[in-house]
Amino acid sequence: MLTTSKLMPQGAGLAPVLLKRAATVELDWDVRQKSRFDATDSQGRQLGVFLPRGTAVRGGDVLVAEDGSLIRVLAAPQDVLRITHCTAHGTPFDLIRAAYHLGNRHVPIELKPDHLKIEPDHVLADMLRAMHLIVTPVAEAFEPEGGAYAAQGHAHGHAHHGHDDHDHDHGHGHAHQHGHPHPHHHDGQDQQQ
């Protein structure tokens, strides 16, 4: 078994030719959020991954093995729910409301300009449909947000922006869902993207 305990976020600093030649390993989010796991790379090598606790591996990251070889991580397609707004009865702002409600429930969520993605959950799917959103089961890569205080700079390359604590509300409020007067049903067959 080949051991790896070093992670290079997004292969930073590596020449593109080295990344192109690197072996790959395709992992779903369930595995990538663990700091210790076994996997098999594209060359058939058994990998034992031992990263610092709390490390999440993202698609595009590079693992460095004990022998110096590089293994580029690919985010594997997995079952997720793709959430889009209803073009007949809503607006793109409905996605912001959905992200707020999902965030209050501490649900891992991937944010995209025109849709959201979460792991399958029929209770949350029903809640989102009641908010007049379209929920479609799909198999796609899942890269949820890391959170405001998770390894800053890792997922999107942003540096810490020295804000004072009084600039942010650290409260944890919960809002309640409100009904809408125009009942209709949304499911994955209403809209495919």
Side-chain angles (χ1 to χ4, degrees), residues 41-90:
D41 73 8
S42 60
Q43 296 175 1
R45 299 178 300 179
Q46 288 296 114
L47 305 175
V49 179
F50 302 93
L51 299 170
R53 294 221 181 269
T55 301
V57 180
R58 299 290 181 165
D61 287 352
V62 174
L63 297 166
V64 181
E66 62 191 346
D67 67 356
S69 61
L70 304 174
I71 303 102
R72 190 167 38 96
V73 177
L74 305 175
Q78 65 184 78
D79 291 337
V80 292
L81 298 178
R82 179 185 257 255
I83 304 150
T84 56
H85 78 280
C86 172
T87 56
H89 299 99

Side-chain angles (χ1 to χ4, degrees), residues 126-139:
D126 289 346
M127 175 196 79
L128 293 163
R129 287 182 182 112
M131 295 170 66
H132 308 293
L133 291 156
I134 298 167
V135 179
T136 308
V138 295

Side-chain angles (χ1 to χ4, degrees), residues 24-168:
T24 59
V25 63
E26 196 170 21
L27 307 169
D28 67 16
W29 176 243
D30 185 51
V31 174
R32 289 183 290 116
Q33 65 182 324
K34 296 175 182 171
S35 52
R36 285 161 172 65
F37 57 87
D38 294 334
T40 303
D41 73 8
S42 60
Q43 296 175 1
R45 299 178 300 179
Q46 288 296 114
L47 305 175
V49 179
F50 302 93
L51 299 170
R53 294 221 181 269
T55 301
V57 180
R58 299 290 181 165
D61 287 352
V62 174
L63 297 166
V64 181
E66 62 191 346
D67 67 356
S69 61
L70 304 174
I71 303 102
R72 190 167 38 96
V73 177
L74 305 175
Q78 65 184 78
D79 291 337
V80 292
L81 298 178
R82 179 185 257 255
I83 304 150
T84 56
H85 78 280
C86 172
T87 56
H89 299 99
T91 69
F93 182 77
D94 294 337
L95 292 175
I96 295 171
R97 286 181 53 245
Y100 172 81
H101 287 286
L102 293 166
N104 272 343
R105 288 162 178 79
H106 304 284
V107 173
I109 181 171
E110 182 174 351
L111 306 172
K112 294 290 187 180
D114 63 344
H115 68 276
L116 308 173
K117 283 191 252 183
I118 62 171
E119 294 175 296
D121 183 306
H122 69 88
V123 173
L124 293 175
D126 289 346
M127 175 196 79
L128 293 163
R129 287 182 182 112
M131 295 170 66
H132 308 293
L133 291 156
I134 298 167
V135 179
T136 308
V138 295
E140 295 179 352
F142 185 52
E143 291 284 0
E145 287 293 307
Y149 301 104
Q152 291 186 4
H154 181 95
H156 302 289
H158 297 294
H160 178 68
H161 299 288
H163 296 288
D164 293 331
D165 277 343
H166 63 25
D167 289 342
H168 301 286

